[in-house]
Amino acid sequence: MKSKVVILNPPSSDASYINRDLMGGMGVHVKFGKNFFAKMLSKLKANYVRIPVMQLVYAASILEKEGCSVLVIDAPNEDKKLDYVLKRIQEFGPEYVVMAVSSSCIIFERDAVAAGIKEMLPQTKIFVVGDMITEMPELLLPHFDVGIIGELEHCIGELCDGKDPELISGLLVNKGTEVKKTENKLRLSAKEQDELPFPAWHLFPYKRYRYYPMVGVDPVATIQASRGCPYGCGYCPYTKNQGRPWRARSAKSIFQEMERNVQKYGFRGFFFRDPLFTTDKQRVEKLCSLLIKSDLNVQFAFETRPELLTKELIDLLSKAGCSAINFGVEDINPEILKKISRKPVDGPLILDVITYCEDKGIRTSCFFILGLPGATKKTTEENIMFSKKLFASQIEYKVATPYPGTDLYHMAKENKWLLSESLDMLTGYTSSMQVSPELPPEYLEEKADKAFKEFYFHPKYILREIMRGRVWKNIYFALK
């Protein structure tokens, strides 16, 4: 195999930053709010968090190992625009382009990026990854050649070796006027994940990658240590990409990847992209023990649920270098959570875990969703009040978004809650549905804007950041 392949994370449709690795592959367009404070926070978040698309990282690593000539263009993280991207692709002259797509920018990605490639290089085949293609196959037409359903590791080598896509499982194939779906493929097992090549970071602009302020050092490498989520919350697209069965790499494999990343590339921090990092506490304990015994001296962050942590495990994580943990709280009202198939967690437990982490020096970030089914103005106020009570290091307020394929999307369609079918509304911060007359879209967006402002510009929060020595770095990112 000696094919020339471009691995492409395309630019955004506008000047804002887009992270296509988040929301289970749907992507997050970082532009929330209309007032000055919200726009400032948007800019900060866009400059704080710069991470690659993990599917593209594995694609590049597999293809290079199999002998392909690989060019990576990570446009959002390199701050490159469309004209630059098209020029680089034309100069390289690839036979194949493996490209990530998102929910809110897919029309631009298809009709501007892919169309531009086809105009220059009509024989080049474009393979796309991203849950929007899986859930809305018609979007493949007319410029994308193949859509990869879910995980790409099983098929990317065969595709870039010229095998007929119709003979490969787990694909959507552009047939000109229709899309053909091939037979389903199995998801990667734990053993197969351990056998994947470690990321070929030299192909990527890895020195630009960071996860600030949750990981206070850079560069930061992303790691996929497990896949799947057994909880299957109705608003979350992660299970559409990775499935519900939880499949995890061994602690030894994860540590070896971290060690290699430090020694070969100089990474100082890590961000685990697992939906639930602490599902198996014993595996996490083994990894922590390996890190403590080593001299890597790294920081790392991950996401989990509050009830999947104990104080003993938090203590061990702190010793191993854990600098931050993300928690999806979403809503504090158990009846609202039940409506969207999320297992409720008691408020006092959440508060206890967040407080203990912060006391141990582990920063916490809590995500809340406004406007879920069953929500009212009263429950919205209660949700925001609880979020402030937590006093986490970061709070993020999102507006309920019916991503295609999720249970929430089907509920919205069935109950006629959708205000717009426009895909550019699927940002995570824009209200595209209304679950009751009491919660119009402008109310939810204004409440989210106000909550952001009241939390991040509160004197108590600013004083804490000053005490932590983070203010000057925050100002640097704000002015960048």
Side-chain angles (χ1 to χ4, degrees), residues 71-283:
L71 170 68
V72 172
I73 303 176
D74 192 352
N77 292 312
E78 296 179 82
D79 297 312
K80 300 300 184 183
K81 302 295 186 287
L82 180 58
D83 55 351
Y84 168 88
V85 170
L86 294 179
K87 182 180 179 182
R88 288 288 287 120
I89 292 174
Q90 185 176 37
E91 290 171 348
F92 188 69
E95 296 153 85
Y96 307 102
V97 173
V98 183
M99 173 177 162
V101 295
S102 62
S103 56
S104 62
C105 286
I106 192 165
I107 302 303
F108 169 80
E109 293 154 355
R110 183 191 65 189
D111 296 346
V113 182
I117 295 170
K118 287 291 188 180
E119 185 176 349
M120 299 182 308
L121 303 167
Q123 300 306 312
T124 295
K125 300 298 182 184
I126 302 176
F127 308 141
V128 292
V129 293
D131 289 354
M132 279 303 293
I133 287 294
T134 302
E135 300 304 330
M136 303 181 75
E138 66 274 13
L139 292 172
L140 201 68
L141 306 174
H143 303 300
F144 299 137
D145 293 291
V146 174
I148 300 172
I149 300 172
E151 300 166 340
L152 58 68
E153 291 87 352
H154 275 313
C155 64
I156 195 64
E158 290 181 312
L159 277 172
C160 293
D161 198 28
K163 185 174 180 178
D164 183 351
E166 293 187 52
L167 302 178
I168 303 173
S169 60
L171 301 180
L172 298 166
V173 183
N174 183 340
K175 298 295 292 177
T177 58
E178 62 179 3
V179 175
K180 177 181 178 180
K181 181 179 178 181
T182 65
E183 66 180 21
N184 293 332
K185 68 173 184 289
L186 296 175
R187 291 190 170 93
L188 290 179
S189 66
K191 183 175 183 293
E192 287 173 318
Q193 290 180 66
D194 273 347
E195 293 171 349
L196 290 174
F198 290 151
W201 289 117
H202 54 276
L203 298 173
F204 290 78
Y206 68 89
K207 291 185 179 179
R208 287 176 167 263
Y209 298 150
R210 55 183 175 264
Y211 193 63
Y212 184 83
M214 308 308 277
V215 178
V217 295
D218 57 75
V220 170
T222 44
I223 294 185
Q224 191 81 52
S226 67
R227 306 189 188 196
C229 177
Y231 287 87
C233 302
Y235 57 86
C236 181
Y238 270 99
T239 54
K240 298 300 175 183
N241 180 279
Q242 299 182 8
R244 291 189 68 167
W246 188 74
R247 299 149 289 135
R249 293 169 57 187
S250 66
K252 180 181 178 182
S253 170
I254 299 164
F255 175 77
Q256 288 174 339
E257 180 176 338
M258 295 175 77
E259 185 177 46
R260 173 181 177 272
N261 284 342
V262 171
Q263 295 174 351
K264 184 173 182 177
Y265 299 108
F267 281 107
R268 300 172 63 207
F270 296 90
F271 176 35
F272 289 94
R273 295 296 297 120
D274 311 32
L276 283 176
F277 182 70
T278 59
T279 301
D280 181 350
K281 296 183 183 67
Q282 288 187 336
R283 183 188 71 130

Side-chain angles (χ1 to χ4, degrees), residues 26-45:
M26 286 288 184
V28 172
H29 209 165
V30 185
K31 54 175 186 178
F32 46 87
K34 299 178 177 64
N35 61 48
F36 170 78
F37 295 103
K39 289 179 180 178
M40 179 186 290
L41 288 170
S42 293
K43 185 173 182 179
L44 281 171
K45 185 173 179 63

Side-chain angles (χ1 to χ4, degrees), residues 221-400:
T222 44
I223 294 185
Q224 191 81 52
S226 67
R227 306 189 188 196
C229 177
Y231 287 87
C233 302
Y235 57 86
C236 181
Y238 270 99
T239 54
K240 298 300 175 183
N241 180 279
Q242 299 182 8
R244 291 189 68 167
W246 188 74
R247 299 149 289 135
R249 293 169 57 187
S250 66
K252 180 181 178 182
S253 170
I254 299 164
F255 175 77
Q256 288 174 339
E257 180 176 338
M258 295 175 77
E259 185 177 46
R260 173 181 177 272
N261 284 342
V262 171
Q263 295 174 351
K264 184 173 182 177
Y265 299 108
F267 281 107
R268 300 172 63 207
F270 296 90
F271 176 35
F272 289 94
R273 295 296 297 120
D274 311 32
L276 283 176
F277 182 70
T278 59
T279 301
D280 181 350
K281 296 183 183 67
Q282 288 187 336
R283 183 188 71 130
V284 176
E285 289 169 357
K286 289 179 183 176
L287 176 61
C288 287
S289 296
L290 290 170
L291 288 169
I292 292 168
K293 291 175 184 177
S294 75
D295 59 354
L296 294 186
N297 190 28
V298 295
Q299 294 183 20
F300 62 91
F302 60 85
E303 182 170 351
T304 192
R305 291 174 61 100
E307 73 270 33
L308 296 181
L309 288 171
T310 62
K311 290 183 178 180
E312 292 75 20
L313 183 57
I314 293 170
D315 290 342
L316 190 62
L317 285 161
S318 177
K319 291 179 183 177
C322 177
S323 60
I325 304 175
N326 295 333
F327 298 94
V329 180
E330 320 308 6
D331 201 296
I332 196 60
N333 187 300
E335 296 307 314
I336 292 174
L337 294 177
K338 289 175 185 177
K339 287 180 184 293
I340 42 93
S341 304
R342 181 173 177 84
K343 183 181 178 182
V345 183
D346 291 338
L349 174 61
I350 298 172
L351 180 59
D352 186 47
V353 170
I354 299 301
T355 302
Y356 193 78
C357 286
E358 293 284 345
D359 288 345
K360 295 294 294 185
I362 297 176
R363 295 173 71 95
T364 58
S365 179
C366 296
F367 303 102
F368 288 83
I369 302 177
L370 308 184
L372 288 168
T376 63
K377 287 186 176 180
K378 181 176 181 293
T379 64
T380 300
E381 291 289 350
E382 291 170 347
N383 210 24
I384 293 173
M385 287 298 294
F386 180 78
S387 73
K388 294 176 182 177
K389 184 180 179 181
L390 291 176
F391 201 45
S393 292
Q394 284 188 211
I395 299 287
E396 184 145 341
Y397 303 96
K398 292 193 174 183
V399 177

